[in-house]
């Protein structure tokens, strides 16, 4: 089965957790250790990406270190065609639907597609939208942020992603967001989707993660928590147990 197919099957049973590692935030060996703890804590995949990357080498080294330390699928979350790595298992072939810059909507995809074909990376089609406050991803991605209470627009994007044939939809508030995407927005979007709904940005504690899962998130992403928590294994295990309830 494909990685996407496996994830879709698992989301029918429970809400999943993915760990997001930004190669710009720690050395590869540290990323490897965090990935190992993520697997031990019950995470289902490791995503690799960030808005401030500088080189493909940086991504390659981080992906290799993660692969050396875990058997979880490694899925790229690329900010551009330059940051693809043949050492990963799959990539979110994602369009930043509310960017004003066509590079992030389709042009980087055209540059990266031949690499994807050659490398054998599994492309996983995903519609990606950023909601206020958006943080660095919102600024770098030149995004017309969805207002945090504009549920109608969020639902419109979700339906558009679905009608365009995308297989996943990601509602993102931005890494380190002081407030995550609201429960109301998540539940309204979920009611209109028949593909897995991914939610991330500003989810740092058990209660918030539980709320987002109950509101309708099929996959919860955490990034910052992985870099900051002193007792990561306990913190992640608690979050994963809460979203599976
Ligand atoms: C980035 O939403 C993710 O795409 C991660 O956000 O760093 O706030 O967990 P955090």
């Amino acid at each position: 089965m494909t990685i996407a197919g496996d994830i879709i099957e698992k989301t029918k049973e429970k809400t999943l957790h993915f760990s997001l590692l930004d190669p710009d935030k720690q050395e590869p060996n540290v990323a490897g250790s965090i990935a190992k703890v993520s697997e031990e804590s019950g995470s289902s995949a490791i995503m690799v990406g960030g808005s401030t990357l500088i080189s493909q080498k940086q991504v390659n080294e981080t992906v290799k270190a993660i692969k050396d330390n875990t058997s979880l699928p490694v899925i790229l979350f690329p900010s551009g065609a330059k940051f693809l790595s043949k050492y990963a298992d799959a990539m979110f072939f994602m369009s930043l639907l509310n960017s004003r810059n066509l590079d992030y909507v389709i042009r980087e995809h055209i540059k990266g597609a031949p690499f994807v074909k050659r490398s054998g990376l599994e492309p996983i089609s995903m519609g990606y939208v950023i909601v206020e406050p958006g943080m660095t991803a919102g600024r770098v991605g030149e995004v017309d942020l969805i207002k945090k209470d504009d549920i109608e627009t969020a639902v419109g994007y979700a339906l558009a992603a679905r009608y365009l044939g995308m297989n996943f939809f990601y509602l993102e508030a931005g890494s380190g967001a002081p407030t995550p995407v609201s429960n109301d927005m998540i539940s309204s979007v979920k009611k209109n989707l028949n593909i897995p709904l991914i939610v991330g940005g500003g989810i740092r504690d058990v209660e918030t993660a539980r709320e987002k899962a109950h509101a309708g998130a099929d996959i919860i992403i955490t990034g910052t928590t992985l870099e900051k928590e002193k007792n990561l294994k306990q913190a992640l295990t608690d979050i994963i147990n809460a979203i599976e309830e």
Side-chain angles (χ1 to χ4, degrees), residues 24-42:
D24 211 21
K25 297 277 164 62
Q26 67 281 297
E27 291 301 317
N29 65 318
V30 178
S33 313
I34 296 174
K36 185 163 190 276
V37 175
S38 294
E39 181 167 26
E40 290 165 358
S41 308

Side-chain angles (χ1 to χ4, degrees), residues 10-243:
K10 286 185 177 148
T11 59
K12 291 177 185 160
E13 306 296 321
K14 61 182 183 184
T15 303
L16 305 181
H17 174 269
F18 288 2
S19 295
L20 173 66
L21 285 164
D22 181 345
D24 211 21
K25 297 277 164 62
Q26 67 281 297
E27 291 301 317
N29 65 318
V30 178
S33 313
I34 296 174
K36 185 163 190 276
V37 175
S38 294
E39 181 167 26
E40 290 165 358
S41 308
S43 201
S44 299
I46 307 292
M47 284 165 61
V48 176
S51 313
T52 55
L53 297 177
I54 44 174
S55 72
Q56 187 181 43
K57 181 164 175 274
Q58 198 184 20
V59 183
N60 279 338
E61 286 174 359
T62 292
V63 171
K64 280 199 256 183
I66 293 169
K67 292 294 295 176
D68 285 346
N69 280 281
T70 160
S71 57
L72 290 178
V74 177
I75 308 174
L76 301 175
F77 180 57
S79 47
K82 282 191 299 203
F83 306 119
L84 299 177
S85 170
K86 66 179 179 183
Y87 301 105
D89 302 298
M91 64 173 292
F92 281 118
F93 204 87
M94 62 205 212
S95 178
L96 180 48
L97 297 171
N98 57 337
S99 175
R100 293 181 299 279
N101 185 337
L102 276 179
D103 289 353
Y104 300 117
V105 182
I106 184 64
R107 287 189 188 131
E108 284 296 312
H109 312 63
I110 295 161
K111 288 186 208 158
F115 178 93
V116 176
K117 183 159 190 234
R118 274 197 312 277
S119 64
L121 275 174
E122 179 187 326
I124 303 176
S125 172
M126 178 168 83
Y128 178 41
V129 291
I130 306 184
V131 180
E132 287 178 335
M135 313 305 282
T136 307
R139 283 193 301 280
V140 174
E142 299 171 56
V143 169
D144 278 338
L145 298 172
I146 300 175
K147 301 252 177 281
K148 53 171 170 284
D149 53 2
D150 188 356
I151 289 174
E152 202 182 327
T153 299
V155 168
Y157 274 112
L159 287 172
R162 178 180 149 187
Y163 298 153
L164 283 165
M166 291 165 168
N167 295 326
F168 290 81
F169 185 69
Y170 185 4
L171 264 182
E172 149 100 285
S175 182
T179 47
V181 176
S182 74
N183 299 341
D184 284 349
M185 187 178 280
I186 293 169
S187 59
S188 299
V189 166
K190 177 64 185 170
K191 282 190 201 115
N192 286 280
L193 276 181
N194 58 355
I195 54 176
L197 171 60
I198 306 177
V199 176
I203 302 173
R204 291 177 282 270
D205 60 76
V206 171
E207 269 325 304
T208 310
R210 191 198 319 265
E211 270 182 26
K212 303 306 160 195
H214 285 176
D218 295 297
I219 299 170
I220 299 275
I221 294 179
T222 64
T224 308
T225 293
L226 309 173
E227 298 152 18
K228 302 249 159 88
E229 275 292 339
K230 297 253 164 358
N231 187 346
L232 180 59
K233 185 155 183 196
Q234 191 61 54
L236 262 190
T237 304
D238 291 346
I239 285 177
I240 293 166
N241 286 341
I243 65 175

